[in-house]
Amino acid sequence: MTRPTSVRIDLAALRNNYLYARGVHGGRALAVLKADAYGHGALASAHSLASLADGFAVAFLDEACVLREGGVRNPILVLEGCFNASELKLANELDLWVVVHQEEQIRLIEESRTGARFNVWLKIDTGMSRAGFRASDAANAYQRLQSTGKVSSITLMTHFARADELSESMTAQQIEAFGAATATLRGERSLCNSAGLLAWPSARSDWARPGLMLYGATTHGREVPELQPVMTFESRVFNVRTLEAGESLGYGATFVASERTRVGLVCAGYADGYPQTAATGTPIAVDGQATTLIGRVSMDMLTVDLTNLPNAGVGSSVELWGPRVPVAAVAKSAGRSPYELLCAVKRAPLVHENAGQGREPVRMTGTR
C-alpha cells in the first residue's frame, strides 16, 4: 500500500513566474536552480524553462554538472565559483560562467593553463559582509582579471542583505555603494534577487537573479497575485477521532480541547519536511476547505481540526501548502522561512506536471 503523501510540481506555474520576473525586471534573468531548484527538481525545472530562460544559476559546480549531464545547454552561472584548479578546468570544459568573490579565485584564473577565456561575474560586497571584494578593492580586482588575458567578459554583481525589509534603508545604501564602486568599470550589472527585483526598482539593471519568486513565494510581505505556487505538498486523512472538552492531544499535550473536537490524523510529519515548529492554528486545507493544524507535529503524522467539516473523514485530501495554503503562511506560523520549508520537503514522491516544451511529465520518487 502506497503512503498517500506526495509533492506535485506545476511546471506551467514555474514558467509563468519566470516570465513575470523577467518582465518586471526589464532585462535578462538567470533562473536560480540551486538546492535542487529549492526542492522542486532542478533538471525537470531547467528543461521546462530551457526555451524561455536567459540562463540558470546554481550554487556550486556539482549542481551545474547535473544540469549539463542532463542535456541543459543554456548558460549556467556558478554562484560560489570554483574552489580549486581542477574545478576551474571543468568549468571551462562545461562552458560555465563563474563568480569570482575572493583573492584565491583570481589567483586560480591567473595561474590557469587551460587557454580558456572565462565569463566572470565579479562579486562586490556592499554590506552583506559574507562574500565578495570590498568596494574599495573592486577596481583592483577588476583590473587584475582584465590583465590575465583569460577573461572574455566581466559582469559586476552584488547581493542584498535586507531587500525584503521595505522600511529599512540598507538596500538603498547598498545600491549607492555598488554604483560608486563600479562607476569607472565597464561591464553589465546584476543586483536583484527576488526581493530586490520586486521591491527596489532602482536596482533593476542588466541581469536579475530571481530565486524564491520563481516558485511562487515571497518574503517581502506584499502579495503578488501574478505569482503562482509551483509546489503542492499534500496528503490524506487516514483516521478520525473525537476529543471531549478538557482532553489533550499529542506530544506535550499542547492542545487541550475547549469543546467537543473532531480530529483528523494526517500522513505527514516533520520527517517529510513539514515544520515541527508549526503551531496550532497553522492554516491547512481539507477537501479544499480551510481549517487548521492542532497539536504538535510528529515525525510521521500531524493532526487537523475537522469539527466544522462534517463531510470530511478518512480519505479526505489535505493540502499542507500549495494554491489554497501559501507556503509563506505556514512558514510564518512555524517561525521559519519559505526557503527552508520548500527545500526541506523529502521522502514523499515528487511529481512534475505540465512539463510543456513537448516533454512528458517527469515522476521522481525517493529521498531528495
Side-chain angles (χ1 to χ4, degrees):
M1 183 175 179
T2 302
R3 187 165 180 258
T5 304
S6 64
V7 180
R8 289 189 293 108
I9 305 298
D10 184 349
L11 295 171
L14 178 67
R15 293 191 294 274
N16 168 84
N17 296 344
Y18 174 81
L19 291 173
Y20 176 74
R22 190 172 64 182
V24 170
H25 182 257
R28 286 161 289 173
L30 296 179
V32 179
L33 302 181
K34 62 183 180 178
D36 198 28
Y38 294 43
H40 292 69
L43 189 56
S45 297
H47 280 306
S48 183
L49 290 171
S51 66
L52 304 176
D54 300 306
F56 299 115
V58 297
F60 50 90
L61 192 68
D62 285 354
E63 292 184 329
C65 289
V66 169
L67 297 183
R68 284 287 188 252
E69 289 167 4
V72 177
R73 297 291 170 253
N74 304 61
I76 301 174
L77 176 66
V78 181
L79 293 167
E80 292 182 2
C82 296
F83 296 124
N84 52 52
S86 62
E87 284 205 349
L88 189 66
K89 181 176 182 292
L90 182 57
N92 171 57
E93 292 170 356
L94 296 179
D95 192 24
L96 303 176
W97 300 353
V98 294
V99 169
V100 168
H101 58 80
Q102 58 174 295
E103 163 72 23
E104 174 67 12
Q105 291 172 330
I106 294 182
R107 188 182 64 78
L108 288 176
I109 292 176
E110 288 175 333
E111 296 178 358
S112 169
R113 298 182 179 179
T114 64
R117 289 176 60 82
F118 298 96
N119 185 316
V120 168
W121 287 46
L122 177 62
K123 190 168 191 176
I124 300 165
D125 176 22
T126 56
M128 183 79 165
S129 300
R130 185 182 66 180
F133 292 90
R134 292 184 179 275
S136 58
D137 297 327
N140 179 61
Y142 181 96
Q143 295 303 330
R144 280 184 64 188
L145 286 167
Q146 288 280 49
S147 67
T148 65
K150 302 171 185 177
V151 172
S152 59
S153 66
I154 299 176
T155 300
L156 302 161
M157 68 180 296
T158 194
H159 193 62
F160 294 136
R162 305 182 73 175
D164 54 355
E165 300 176 68
L166 306 190
S167 62
E168 293 292 334
S169 62
M170 186 174 183
T171 301
Q173 293 168 3
Q174 285 192 259
I175 295 169
E176 183 178 356
F178 181 80
T182 61
T184 62
L185 306 180
R186 298 179 61 184
E188 295 182 325
R189 270 72 170 157
S190 177
L191 291 84
C192 288
N193 55 5
S194 290
L197 187 159
L198 289 169
W200 299 90
S202 61
R204 297 169 189 162
S205 55
D206 300 292
W207 288 92
R209 308 185 307 274
L212 184 65
M213 69 180 296
L214 296 182
Y215 309 102
T218 67
T219 58
H220 73 310
R222 292 181 181 175
E223 183 179 352
V224 183
E226 294 85 356
L227 295 178
Q228 301 172 8
V230 177
M231 178 187 289
T232 301
F233 186 16
E234 59 191 2
S235 189
R236 291 191 177 276
V237 174
F238 74 101
N239 192 23
V240 177
R241 65 184 308 159
T242 300
L243 298 180
E244 300 298 336
E247 291 186 325
S248 64
L249 175 67
Y251 287 119
T254 59
F255 175 83
V256 179
S258 60
E259 60 184 1
R260 203 163 194 264
T261 303
R262 192 162 171 262
V263 179
L265 189 60
V266 179
C267 294
Y270 60 79
D272 300 288
Y274 194 85
Q276 186 182 23
T277 53
T280 291
T282 299
I284 279 180
V286 175
D287 289 339
Q289 300 178 76
T291 187
T292 63
L293 174 78
I294 53 175
R296 185 179 293 176
V297 176
S298 302
M299 182 179 290
D300 310 296
M301 295 176 282
L302 55 82
T303 43
V304 298
D305 190 349
L306 300 181
T307 306
N308 296 320
L309 303 177
N311 295 322
V314 173
S316 288
S317 64
V318 178
E319 182 182 302
L320 302 169
W321 61 69
R324 295 180 179 87
V325 182
V327 66
V330 180
K332 182 178 181 180
S333 177
R336 309 275 280 278
S337 76
Y339 295 95
E340 187 177 357
L341 266 59
L342 293 173
C343 291
V345 174
K346 54 191 174 184
R347 198 165 72 172
L350 187 68
V351 180
H352 292 90
E353 302 175 333
N354 303 316
Q357 320 307 315
R359 297 179 181 272
E360 292 300 314
V362 178
R363 184 177 289 266
M364 299 172 63
T365 61
T367 302
R368 302 179 299 286

